[in-house]
Amino acid sequence: MKTPGKARVYLVGAGPGDPELITVKGLRLLQQADCVVYDALADSALLSHCRPNCEKVYVGKRAGNHALPQEEINRLLIDCATKYACTVRLKGGDPYVFGRGSEEAMALLSAGVACEVVPGITSAIAGPAAMGVPVTHRGICSQFTVFTGHEMAGKEESSLDIKSIAASEGTKVILMGMSHLRHTLQQLMEAGMMPSTPAAAVQWATTPRQRWVTATVATLADVVEQSGVTSPAAVVIGDVVGLQTELAPTVAPRRLAGKRVVVTRTREQASALSSALREYGADVLELPTIRIAPPSDRADFAAAVVDSPHYDWLIFSSPNGVKKFFEAFFSVYEDIRELGGARIAAVGPGTAAELKKYGLMVDVMPQKAVAEELIAEFDRKGDEFGGVANVTMLWIHSEKGRDIVYKELMKRQAIVDECIAYNTVPETEDPTGARGRLAAEGADLVTFTSSSTVHNFMALGIKLPAGCKVASIGPVTSATLREYGIEPDMESEKHNIGHLVQTILAGLSDGK
Ligand code: SAH
């Protein structure tokens, strides 16, 4: 909430579309923001980085509705600064390239609100690049001009000097140019541009919906019309377009292009699967069904963390448990060595990998991440460390965890205390707007990466779209799906994200 006198509005460039093309600084501010004001072009997946209680205000166009008028957006931003310490105004591409960002900055400054611009990658450059066209190339052109095609509508008042644009050297890029494309190209030719000059249009550049066409200045309007490429698209004109064939290998391969895939993990866990699928060009809808929340008894958790250096063993039941435990640990202790010489057990490789981030190796870990296997591993390796009888153990787990670990270790005479580090609760928000998109646009595939994602998905009452396939991470998750009468179309052979992605690649391209 607001720290008096310190409120700041950041005009952040979201990049051209791919949510990974935001700057590091922009991403950090999004993660810190108390409030985000955004519009249509910024990829809504970016919003999944926001804190759970961050206020999100959409000011763009909705189907059939106009965007909020600029004056109202300006007022809204000023208003946000009275309520929040950190407001992010997220704008597609770069905020100062046809984004009215400078108008917003001026309005804020004249209202006495501190405002900072965080540049972004503009579609004027990234758009052509994403289809294999560089805006400059030594020996071909050393200059490029970016202009808006929107101005062409009101020819009389246009501030564009189309004659000098046509006469100028180098590459031309037109943004917002699709509705008047034919007219603009005509004007350029009338002003002396060679009709045979190579030209291209790229729509939804850097996103899974990316499409492009190449032609010449004379033919582009027809080609665009036939192909159905429409706004938002960047038009690029010049000899550099001819380099497209040679540079095609620089364009990311997209085996899952055009496929919409739903990821149902928690917000915290979704990113690994989502970014792997995006690498292959899938249109990923992150639809978190569960959220990591603090445990019901925070005082108990805090006390357990404070006492943790006194145990012979620390037993971690999940990667989330590791994260939450150490978040709390480092708010009390400064140095990892405060933990002492406890032995460490992890329920499986994922949890061990999380521990490794803190420089901690595990003494006991089963290959399969289930509680029974962990106990079996304790039995197998018992001799190495003198068994578990009379040994003190702290079991770090989630509120909804199974109590097998506790019961079985107690049976073997261990002295086990519990440390409940977090709780999982149903995600009731639609932080990325993905639930809305799923309902409106459907999907090709829904992925389930655990039984709890299945239960939670079903509990939210979301219907699987017609013809949508289902991928499961393994037999246990598949069995849970069958409980709901759903037969998975594909099942990963090994219980990990890498294999799941390979299974999806095989499954989605085969079954086309
Ligand atoms: N500030 C933005 C531009 C805003 S004007 C930037 O720097 O990119 C909106 C226009 O940008 C659209 O009409 C289209 O011409 C272009 N545009 C934005 N995103 C695009 C994308 N992913 N692919 C192609 N063109 C895009």
Side-chain angles (χ1 to χ4, degrees):
M1 282 288 125
K2 182 174 157 49
T3 325
K6 286 230 177 120
R8 211 167 242 273
V9 176
Y10 295 89
L11 295 175
V12 175
D18 178 345
E20 289 188 323
L21 288 178
I22 190 172
T23 62
V24 176
K25 183 167 184 178
L27 182 61
R28 174 174 63 73
L29 288 166
L30 260 189
Q31 288 164 340
Q32 289 173 356
D34 303 305
C35 175
V36 175
V37 179
Y38 65 104
D39 42 25
L41 279 179
D43 189 300
S44 59
L46 281 174
L47 299 176
S48 63
H49 296 288
C50 298
R51 295 190 291 114
N53 54 352
C54 170
E55 188 181 343
K56 303 177 200 85
V57 190
Y58 178 76
V59 292
K61 279 187 213 151
R62 291 236 191 256
N65 284 327
H66 286 296
L68 214 59
Q70 190 61 48
E71 294 70 35
E72 281 181 40
I73 297 179
N74 296 354
R75 264 199 300 279
L76 174 80
L77 291 174
I78 296 166
D79 190 45
C80 287
T82 64
K83 290 199 246 164
Y84 303 106
C86 175
T87 298
V88 165
R89 169 69 172 116
L90 193 61
K91 298 177 83 75
D94 180 89
Y96 283 176
V97 177
F98 302 130
R100 307 191 72 169
S102 41
E103 288 171 50
E104 294 176 11
M106 285 172 185
L108 285 161
L109 293 176
S110 57
V113 176
C115 164
E116 187 178 325
V117 64
V118 180
I121 301 176
T122 177
S123 61
I125 296 170
M131 61 171 287
V133 173
V135 288
T136 70
H137 186 83
R138 199 154 65 98
I140 292 187
C141 79
S142 47
Q143 154 177 343
F144 64 96
T145 309
V146 181
F147 67 100
T148 163
H150 212 60
E151 293 250 334
M152 302 305 293
K155 231 168 59 183
E156 303 327 315
E157 314 99 73
S158 172
S159 57
L160 273 179
D161 181 355
I162 204 78
K163 283 205 176 65
S164 63
I165 292 178
S168 68
E169 292 244 24
T171 309
K172 278 98 197 157
V173 178
I174 315 176
L175 296 190
M176 296 186 283
M178 297 311 272
S179 41
H180 308 298
L181 184 64
R182 192 174 291 279
H183 179 64
T184 310
L185 296 173
Q186 192 60 42
Q187 292 249 305
L188 285 169
M189 287 186 288
E190 277 168 20
M193 185 178 271
M194 293 274 287
S196 59
T197 313
V202 54
Q203 179 185 15
W204 286 120
T206 77
T207 80
R209 293 188 262 178
Q210 171 170 314
R211 297 170 66 196
W212 74 74
V213 287
T214 54
T216 62
V217 172
T219 59
L220 186 65
D222 285 338
V223 172
V224 158
E225 220 168 84
Q226 282 150 19
S227 67
V229 164
T230 55
S231 187
V235 173
V236 52
I237 300 169
D239 290 336
V240 284
V241 174
L243 299 173
Q244 206 270 332
T245 336
E246 201 178 329
L247 290 175
T250 64
V251 177
R254 297 168 167 267
R255 280 174 66 188
L256 294 179
K259 302 287 182 193
R260 191 169 305 122
V261 181
V262 177
V263 170
T264 56
R265 314 189 84 195
T266 61
R267 255 186 259 178
E268 289 81 358
Q269 293 169 323
S271 56
L273 179 57
S274 304
S275 50
L277 292 170
R278 285 198 181 106
E279 281 280 292
Y280 291 103
D283 182 7
V284 176
L285 288 186
E286 278 188 4
L287 203 145
T289 55
I290 46 179
R291 181 161 54 86
I292 304 299
S296 322
D297 195 336
R298 294 188 198 205
D300 222 39
F301 172 44
V305 171
V306 170
D307 284 347
S308 59
H310 305 302
Y311 287 85
D312 300 318
W313 278 89
L314 300 176
I315 302 169
F316 291 93
S317 282
S318 67
N320 278 319
V322 176
K323 263 189 232 143
K324 294 297 160 191
F325 176 84
F326 282 105
E327 256 173 48
F329 184 87
F330 287 116
S331 70
V332 183
Y333 300 106
E334 254 180 72
D335 190 328
I336 187 81
R337 287 171 295 183
E338 301 270 11
L339 202 53
R343 288 182 192 270
I344 294 178
V347 76
T351 306
E354 193 60 38
L355 283 159
K356 205 159 177 223
K357 293 185 189 162
Y358 300 88
L360 297 168
M361 304 302 283
V362 294
D363 301 278
V364 164
M365 180 198 82
Q367 276 314 315
K368 254 178 96 183
V370 283
E372 288 82 352
E373 295 286 324
L374 177 65
I375 299 300
E377 193 68 10
F378 263 111
D379 289 342
R380 259 196 299 277
K381 286 187 114 181
D383 287 345
E384 286 177 28
F385 44 77
V388 299
N390 296 319
V391 167
T392 56
M393 297 181 148
L394 187 64
W395 175 39
I396 297 131
H397 66 113
S398 107
E399 202 147 329
K400 299 207 174 74
R402 303 162 64 204
D403 58 3
I404 287 212
V405 175
Y406 184 81
K407 283 191 186 142
E408 291 298 319
L409 288 170
M410 290 294 268
K411 248 194 235 166
R412 290 160 177 77
Q413 314 292 320
I415 303 158
V416 187
D417 285 334
E418 287 189 70
C419 170
I420 298 177
Y422 64 97
N423 197 0
T424 49
V425 295
E427 176 63 274
T428 44
E429 269 188 68
D430 185 12
T432 61
R435 226 169 272 179
R437 267 193 77 197
L438 177 62
E441 300 170 30
D444 299 286
L445 180 78
V446 179
T447 58
F448 291 101
T449 47
S450 68
S451 290
S452 58
T453 58
V454 179
H455 291 305
N456 287 297
F457 186 87
M458 298 305 162
L460 289 172
I462 302 166
K463 295 261 174 307
L464 283 180
C468 177
K469 292 185 172 181
V470 170
S472 150
I473 200 163
V476 179
T477 305
S478 299
T480 311
L481 279 163
R482 288 186 193 107
E483 282 173 28
Y484 290 95
I486 296 170
E487 185 57 35
D489 299 276
M490 48 197 104
E491 181 185 286
S492 176
E493 220 169 274
K494 286 196 185 152
H495 192 279
N496 68 44
I497 297 297
H499 274 89
L500 179 60
V501 172
Q502 291 310 314
T503 310
I504 292 170
L505 282 174
L508 269 194
S509 30
D510 283 350
K512 238 193 199 173

Coordinates of all heavy atoms in Angstrom, one line a residue, residues 199-261:
A199 N 8.0 -6.5 -50.0 CA 7.2 -6.0 -48.8 C 6.6 -7.2 -48.1 O 6.4 -8.2 -48.7 CB 6.1 -5.0 -49.3
A200 N 6.4 -7.1 -46.8 CA 5.8 -8.2 -46.1 C 4.9 -7.6 -44.9 O 5.0 -6.5 -44.6 CB 6.9 -9.0 -45.4
A201 N 4.1 -8.5 -44.4 CA 3.3 -8.1 -43.2 C 3.3 -9.3 -42.3 O 3.2 -10.4 -42.7 CB 1.8 -7.9 -43.6
V202 N 3.6 -9.0 -41.0 CA 3.6 -10.0 -40.0 C 2.6 -9.7 -38.9 O 2.6 -8.6 -38.3 CB 5.1 -10.2 -39.4 CG1 5.7 -8.9 -38.9 CG2 5.1 -11.3 -38.3
Q203 N 1.8 -10.6 -38.6 CA 0.7 -10.4 -37.6 C 1.0 -11.2 -36.3 O 1.6 -12.3 -36.4 CB -0.6 -11.0 -38.2 CG -1.8 -10.8 -37.3 CD -3.1 -11.5 -37.8 OE1 -3.0 -12.3 -38.7 NE2 -4.2 -11.2 -37.2
W204 N 0.7 -10.6 -35.2 CA 0.9 -11.3 -33.9 C 2.3 -11.8 -33.8 O 2.6 -12.9 -33.3 CB -0.1 -12.4 -33.7 CG -1.5 -12.1 -33.4 CD1 -2.6 -12.4 -34.1 CD2 -1.9 -11.3 -32.2 NE1 -3.7 -11.9 -33.5 CE2 -3.3 -11.2 -32.4 CE3 -1.3 -10.7 -31.2 CZ2 -4.1 -10.5 -31.4 CZ3 -2.1 -10.0 -30.2 CH2 -3.5 -9.9 -30.4
A205 N 3.3 -10.9 -34.3 CA 4.7 -11.4 -34.2 C 5.1 -11.8 -32.8 O 4.7 -11.2 -31.8 CB 5.6 -10.2 -34.7
T206 N 6.0 -12.8 -32.8 CA 6.6 -13.3 -31.6 C 5.6 -14.1 -30.7 O 5.9 -14.5 -29.6 CB 7.4 -12.3 -30.7 OG1 6.5 -11.5 -29.9 CG2 8.3 -11.5 -31.5
T207 N 4.3 -14.2 -31.1 CA 3.4 -15.0 -30.3 C 3.0 -16.2 -31.1 O 3.3 -16.4 -32.3 CB 2.0 -14.2 -30.1 OG1 1.2 -14.3 -31.3 CG2 2.3 -12.7 -29.8
P208 N 2.4 -17.2 -30.4 CA 2.0 -18.4 -31.1 C 1.1 -18.2 -32.2 O 0.9 -19.1 -33.1 CB 1.4 -19.3 -30.0 CG 1.9 -18.7 -28.7 CD 2.1 -17.2 -29.0
R209 N 0.4 -17.1 -32.3 CA -0.5 -16.8 -33.4 C 0.2 -16.1 -34.6 O -0.5 -15.7 -35.5 CB -1.6 -15.9 -32.9 CG -2.5 -16.6 -31.9 CD -3.7 -15.8 -31.5 NE -3.5 -15.0 -30.3 CZ -4.4 -14.2 -29.8 NH1 -5.5 -13.9 -30.5 NH2 -4.2 -13.6 -28.7
Q210 N 1.5 -16.0 -34.5 CA 2.2 -15.3 -35.6 C 2.0 -15.9 -37.0 O 2.0 -17.1 -37.2 CB 3.7 -15.4 -35.3 CG 4.6 -14.9 -36.4 CD 6.0 -14.7 -36.0 OE1 6.3 -14.2 -34.9 NE2 6.9 -15.2 -36.8
R211 N 1.7 -15.0 -37.9 CA 1.6 -15.4 -39.3 C 2.2 -14.3 -40.1 O 2.2 -13.1 -39.7 CB 0.1 -15.4 -39.7 CG -0.7 -16.5 -39.0 CD -2.2 -16.2 -39.3 NE -2.5 -16.5 -40.7 CZ -3.6 -16.1 -41.3 NH1 -4.5 -15.4 -40.7 NH2 -3.8 -16.4 -42.6
W212 N 2.7 -14.6 -41.3 CA 3.2 -13.5 -42.2 C 3.0 -13.9 -43.6 O 2.8 -15.0 -44.0 CB 4.7 -13.3 -41.9 CG 5.7 -14.3 -42.4 CD1 6.1 -14.5 -43.7 CD2 6.4 -15.2 -41.6 NE1 7.0 -15.5 -43.7 CE2 7.2 -16.0 -42.5 CE3 6.4 -15.5 -40.2 CZ2 8.0 -17.0 -42.0 CZ3 7.3 -16.5 -39.8 CH2 8.1 -17.2 -40.7
V213 N 3.1 -12.8 -44.4 CA 3.1 -13.0 -45.9 C 4.1 -12.1 -46.5 O 4.4 -11.0 -45.9 CB 1.7 -12.6 -46.5 CG1 0.6 -13.7 -46.1 CG2 1.2 -11.2 -46.0
T214 N 4.7 -12.5 -47.6 CA 5.6 -11.7 -48.3 C 5.1 -11.4 -49.7 O 4.4 -12.3 -50.3 CB 7.0 -12.3 -48.4 OG1 6.9 -13.6 -49.0 CG2 7.7 -12.4 -47.1
A215 N 5.4 -10.2 -50.3 CA 4.9 -9.9 -51.6 C 5.8 -8.7 -52.1 O 6.9 -8.6 -51.7 CB 3.4 -9.5 -51.5
T216 N 5.1 -7.8 -52.9 CA 5.8 -6.6 -53.3 C 4.9 -5.4 -52.9 O 3.7 -5.7 -52.5 CB 6.1 -6.5 -54.8 OG1 4.8 -6.5 -55.4 CG2 6.9 -7.7 -55.3
V217 N 5.4 -4.2 -53.0 CA 4.5 -3.1 -52.7 C 3.3 -3.1 -53.6 O 2.2 -2.8 -53.1 CB 5.3 -1.8 -52.9 CG1 4.4 -0.6 -52.8 CG2 6.4 -1.7 -51.9
A218 N 3.4 -3.5 -54.8 CA 2.3 -3.6 -55.7 C 1.3 -4.7 -55.3 O 0.1 -4.5 -55.5 CB 2.8 -3.8 -57.2
T219 N 1.8 -5.8 -54.8 CA 0.8 -6.9 -54.6 C 0.5 -7.2 -53.1 O -0.4 -8.0 -52.8 CB 1.5 -8.2 -55.1 OG1 2.7 -8.4 -54.4 CG2 1.7 -8.2 -56.6
L220 N 1.1 -6.5 -52.2 CA 0.9 -6.8 -50.8 C -0.5 -6.7 -50.3 O -1.1 -7.6 -49.6 CB 1.8 -6.0 -49.9 CG 1.8 -6.4 -48.4 CD1 2.4 -7.8 -48.2 CD2 2.5 -5.4 -47.5
A221 N -1.2 -5.7 -50.8 CA -2.6 -5.5 -50.3 C -3.5 -6.7 -50.7 O -4.3 -7.2 -49.9 CB -3.2 -4.2 -50.9
D222 N -3.3 -7.2 -51.9 CA -4.1 -8.3 -52.4 C -3.7 -9.6 -51.6 O -4.5 -10.3 -51.1 CB -3.8 -8.6 -53.9 CG -4.5 -7.6 -54.8 OD1 -5.5 -7.0 -54.3 OD2 -4.1 -7.4 -55.9
V223 N -2.4 -9.8 -51.4 CA -1.9 -11.0 -50.7 C -2.4 -11.0 -49.3 O -2.9 -12.0 -48.8 CB -0.3 -11.0 -50.8 CG1 0.2 -12.2 -49.9 CG2 0.1 -11.2 -52.2
V224 N -2.4 -9.8 -48.7 CA -2.9 -9.7 -47.3 C -4.3 -10.1 -47.2 O -4.8 -10.8 -46.4 CB -2.6 -8.3 -46.7 CG1 -3.5 -7.9 -45.6 CG2 -1.1 -8.2 -46.3
E225 N -5.1 -9.5 -48.2 CA -6.5 -9.8 -48.2 C -6.8 -11.3 -48.4 O -7.6 -11.8 -47.6 CB -7.1 -9.0 -49.4 CG -8.5 -8.3 -49.0 CD -8.8 -7.4 -50.1 OE1 -9.4 -7.8 -51.2 OE2 -8.5 -6.2 -50.0
Q226 N -6.1 -11.9 -49.3 CA -6.4 -13.3 -49.5 C -6.0 -14.2 -48.3 O -6.7 -15.1 -48.0 CB -5.6 -13.8 -50.7 CG -6.2 -13.4 -52.1 CD -5.1 -13.2 -53.1 OE1 -4.0 -13.7 -53.0 NE2 -5.5 -12.5 -54.2
S227 N -4.9 -13.8 -47.6 CA -4.4 -14.6 -46.5 C -5.2 -14.4 -45.2 O -5.1 -15.2 -44.4 CB -2.9 -14.3 -46.3 OG -2.9 -13.0 -45.8
G228 N -5.8 -13.3 -45.1 CA -6.6 -13.0 -43.9 C -5.7 -12.5 -42.8 O -6.1 -12.3 -41.7
V229 N -4.4 -12.1 -43.1 CA -3.6 -11.5 -42.1 C -4.2 -10.1 -41.8 O -4.4 -9.3 -42.7 CB -2.1 -11.3 -42.7 CG1 -1.3 -10.3 -41.8 CG2 -1.5 -12.7 -42.7
T230 N -4.5 -9.8 -40.6 CA -5.0 -8.5 -40.2 C -4.3 -8.0 -39.0 O -3.3 -8.5 -38.6 CB -6.5 -8.7 -39.8 OG1 -6.6 -9.7 -38.8 CG2 -7.4 -9.1 -41.0
S231 N -4.9 -6.9 -38.5 CA -4.3 -6.2 -37.3 C -4.3 -7.2 -36.1 O -5.2 -7.9 -35.9 CB -5.1 -5.0 -37.1 OG -4.5 -4.2 -36.1
P232 N -3.4 -7.1 -35.2 CA -2.2 -6.3 -35.2 C -1.1 -6.8 -36.1 O -0.7 -8.0 -35.9 CB -1.7 -6.3 -33.7 CG -2.2 -7.6 -33.2 CD -3.4 -7.9 -34.0
A233 N -0.6 -6.0 -37.0 CA 0.5 -6.5 -37.9 C 1.4 -5.4 -38.2 O 1.0 -4.2 -38.2 CB -0.1 -7.0 -39.2
A234 N 2.7 -5.7 -38.4 CA 3.7 -4.8 -38.8 C 4.0 -5.0 -40.3 O 4.1 -6.2 -40.7 CB 4.9 -4.9 -38.0
V235 N 4.0 -3.9 -41.1 CA 4.3 -4.1 -42.5 C 5.8 -3.6 -42.7 O 6.2 -2.6 -42.1 CB 3.4 -3.2 -43.3 CG1 3.8 -3.2 -44.8 CG2 2.0 -3.7 -43.2
V236 N 6.5 -4.4 -43.4 CA 7.9 -4.0 -43.6 C 8.2 -3.9 -45.1 O 7.8 -4.9 -45.9 CB 8.9 -4.9 -42.8 CG1 8.7 -6.3 -43.1 CG2 10.4 -4.5 -43.1
I237 N 8.8 -2.8 -45.6 CA 9.0 -2.6 -47.0 C 10.5 -2.3 -47.2 O 11.1 -1.6 -46.5 CB 8.2 -1.4 -47.5 CG1 6.7 -1.6 -47.2 CG2 8.5 -1.1 -49.0 CD1 5.9 -0.4 -47.5
G238 N 11.1 -3.0 -48.2 CA 12.5 -2.7 -48.6 C 13.2 -4.0 -49.0 O 12.7 -5.1 -48.8
D239 N 14.4 -3.8 -49.5 CA 15.2 -4.9 -50.0 C 15.5 -5.9 -48.9 O 15.8 -7.1 -49.1 CB 16.5 -4.5 -50.7 CG 16.1 -3.7 -52.0 OD1 15.1 -4.0 -52.5 OD2 16.9 -2.9 -52.4
V240 N 15.5 -5.5 -47.6 CA 15.8 -6.4 -46.5 C 14.8 -7.6 -46.5 O 15.1 -8.7 -46.0 CB 15.8 -5.7 -45.1 CG1 17.0 -4.9 -44.9 CG2 14.5 -4.9 -44.9
V241 N 13.6 -7.4 -47.0 CA 12.6 -8.4 -47.0 C 13.1 -9.6 -47.8 O 12.8 -10.8 -47.6 CB 11.2 -7.9 -47.6 CG1 10.2 -9.0 -47.7 CG2 10.7 -6.8 -46.6
G242 N 14.0 -9.3 -48.8 CA 14.5 -10.4 -49.7 C 15.5 -11.3 -48.9 O 15.8 -12.4 -49.3
L243 N 15.9 -10.9 -47.7 CA 16.8 -11.7 -46.9 C 16.1 -12.8 -46.1 O 16.7 -13.6 -45.5 CB 17.6 -10.8 -45.9 CG 18.5 -9.8 -46.5 CD1 19.1 -8.9 -45.4 CD2 19.6 -10.4 -47.3
Q244 N 14.7 -12.7 -46.2 CA 13.9 -13.6 -45.4 C 14.2 -15.1 -45.6 O 14.3 -15.8 -44.7 CB 12.4 -13.3 -45.7 CG 11.5 -13.6 -44.6 CD 10.9 -15.0 -44.7 OE1 10.8 -15.6 -45.8 NE2 10.6 -15.6 -43.6
T245 N 14.4 -15.4 -46.9 CA 14.7 -16.9 -47.2 C 15.9 -17.3 -46.5 O 16.0 -18.4 -45.9 CB 14.8 -17.1 -48.7 OG1 14.1 -16.0 -49.4 CG2 14.3 -18.4 -49.2
E246 N 17.0 -16.5 -46.7 CA 18.3 -16.9 -46.1 C 18.2 -16.9 -44.5 O 18.9 -17.8 -43.9 CB 19.3 -15.9 -46.5 CG 20.7 -16.4 -46.5 CD 21.7 -15.3 -47.0 OE1 21.3 -14.5 -47.9 OE2 22.8 -15.3 -46.5
L247 N 17.4 -16.0 -44.0 CA 17.4 -15.9 -42.5 C 16.3 -16.8 -41.9 O 16.2 -16.8 -40.6 CB 17.3 -14.5 -42.1 CG 18.6 -13.6 -42.3 CD1 18.3 -12.2 -42.0 CD2 19.8 -14.2 -41.5
A248 N 15.6 -17.5 -42.7 CA 14.5 -18.3 -42.1 C 14.9 -19.2 -41.0 O 14.2 -19.4 -40.0 CB 13.8 -19.1 -43.3
P249 N 16.1 -19.8 -41.1 CA 16.6 -20.6 -39.9 C 16.7 -19.9 -38.6 O 16.7 -20.6 -37.5 CB 17.9 -21.1 -40.4 CG 18.0 -21.0 -41.8 CD 17.1 -19.8 -42.1
T250 N 16.7 -18.6 -38.6 CA 16.7 -17.9 -37.3 C 15.4 -17.7 -36.7 O 15.3 -17.3 -35.5 CB 17.3 -16.4 -37.5 OG1 16.4 -15.7 -38.3 CG2 18.7 -16.4 -38.1
V251 N 14.4 -18.1 -37.4 CA 13.0 -18.1 -36.8 C 12.7 -19.3 -36.0 O 13.0 -20.4 -36.5 CB 12.0 -17.9 -38.0 CG1 10.5 -17.9 -37.4 CG2 12.2 -16.7 -38.8
A252 N 12.3 -19.2 -34.8 CA 12.2 -20.3 -33.9 C 11.3 -21.4 -34.5 O 10.2 -21.0 -35.0 CB 11.6 -19.8 -32.6
P253 N 11.7 -22.7 -34.4 CA 10.8 -23.7 -35.0 C 9.6 -23.9 -34.1 O 9.6 -23.7 -32.9 CB 11.7 -25.0 -34.8 CG 12.7 -24.6 -33.8 CD 12.9 -23.2 -33.8
R254 N 8.5 -24.2 -34.7 CA 7.2 -24.2 -34.0 C 6.4 -25.4 -34.3 O 5.4 -25.3 -35.0 CB 6.5 -22.9 -34.4 CG 7.2 -21.7 -34.0 CD 6.6 -20.4 -34.7 NE 7.2 -19.3 -34.0 CZ 6.7 -18.7 -32.9 NH1 5.5 -19.1 -32.5 NH2 7.3 -17.7 -32.4
R255 N 6.8 -26.5 -33.7 CA 6.0 -27.8 -33.9 C 4.6 -27.7 -33.4 O 3.8 -28.5 -33.8 CB 6.8 -29.0 -33.3 CG 7.9 -29.4 -34.2 CD 8.7 -30.5 -33.6 NE 8.0 -31.7 -33.4 CZ 8.5 -32.8 -32.7 NH1 9.7 -32.7 -32.1 NH2 7.8 -33.9 -32.6
L256 N 4.4 -26.9 -32.4 CA 3.1 -26.8 -31.8 C 2.4 -25.5 -32.2 O 1.4 -25.1 -31.6 CB 3.2 -26.9 -30.3 CG 3.7 -28.2 -29.7 CD1 3.7 -28.1 -28.2 CD2 2.8 -29.4 -30.1
A257 N 2.9 -24.9 -33.3 CA 2.3 -23.7 -33.8 C 0.8 -23.9 -34.0 O 0.3 -24.9 -34.5 CB 2.9 -23.2 -35.1
G258 N 0.0 -22.9 -33.6 CA -1.5 -23.0 -33.8 C -2.2 -23.9 -32.8 O -3.4 -24.0 -32.8
K259 N -1.5 -24.5 -31.9 CA -2.1 -25.4 -30.9 C -2.3 -24.6 -29.6 O -1.3 -24.0 -29.1 CB -1.2 -26.6 -30.6 CG -0.9 -27.5 -31.8 CD -2.2 -28.2 -32.2 CE -1.8 -29.1 -33.4 NZ -3.0 -29.6 -34.1
R260 N -3.5 -24.7 -29.0 CA -3.7 -24.0 -27.7 C -3.7 -25.1 -26.7 O -4.4 -26.0 -26.7 CB -5.0 -23.3 -27.8 CG -5.2 -22.4 -26.6 CD -6.4 -21.4 -26.7 NE -6.3 -20.6 -27.9 CZ -7.2 -20.6 -28.9 NH1 -8.3 -21.4 -28.7 NH2 -7.1 -19.9 -30.0
V261 N -2.8 -24.9 -25.7 CA -2.6 -25.9 -24.7 C -2.8 -25.3 -23.3 O -2.3 -24.2 -23.0 CB -1.2 -26.5 -24.7 CG1 -1.0 -27.6 -23.7 CG2 -0.9 -27.1 -26.1

